[in-house]
Amino acid sequence: MTEAPRWQFAVEVHPPGWAFPAGKSWVAGWIFAGHNRHVTDLRAWVDGRVFLGLPGLPQPDRDIALLGRAGPPYAGFALLLEPHRGATLLRLEARDPAGTWTEFFRQTITVAPDAPPYV
């Protein structure tokens, strides 16, 4: 269960079946934290490793649907991940202007056996 049950989001870009190949992969989607909140930063945790994301990417149709106007705050996000061999869990967290990180998504993953080890 995530800490953000009322948030709306979708992870629309990810490896099929959440099976990451060796190397880098994109994970992307959109997030809406509510009318009185917005996302300032985004990060992913792959087991114990952190990857910083790009929040606030333009999504004009989504902003109009969620906010009733074009952004900002923009709803889109993207992360470039390189999961290590044996990784099993992906978590996504968003930070608000007050500096509070909130987990909004978690997913079990698999990673190709020829991926680099965690060092």
Side-chain angles (χ1 to χ4, degrees):
M1 182 74 165
T2 68
E3 300 169 16
R6 292 185 197 112
W7 290 15
Q8 298 175 50
F9 65 89
V11 180
E12 300 171 326
V13 176
H14 59 81
W18 293 97
F20 284 83
K24 296 179 180 176
S25 296
W26 286 100
V27 171
W30 59 270
I31 182 169
F32 177 65
H35 287 283
N36 298 319
R37 294 183 72 183
H38 65 273
V39 172
T40 61
D41 295 291
L42 192 92
R43 67 185 177 194
W45 289 93
V46 176
D47 289 351
R49 293 176 61 203
V50 68
F51 295 85
L52 299 180
L54 299 170
L57 301 176
Q59 290 228 334
D61 293 342
R62 185 79 55 208
D63 289 332
I64 290 170
L66 297 171
L67 298 170
R69 60 171 173 74
Y74 298 110
F77 68 82
L79 301 116
L80 184 58
L81 306 180
E82 189 172 13
H84 58 278
R85 181 181 333 138
T88 60
L89 182 64
L90 168 68
R91 295 183 301 117
L92 300 181
E93 296 178 337
R95 189 170 89 164
D96 64 22
T100 302
W101 287 97
T102 302
E103 180 182 313
F104 67 93
F105 179 79
R106 71 174 43 213
Q107 175 67 47
T108 302
I109 63 170
T110 59
V111 180
D114 58 338
Y118 180 35
V119 286

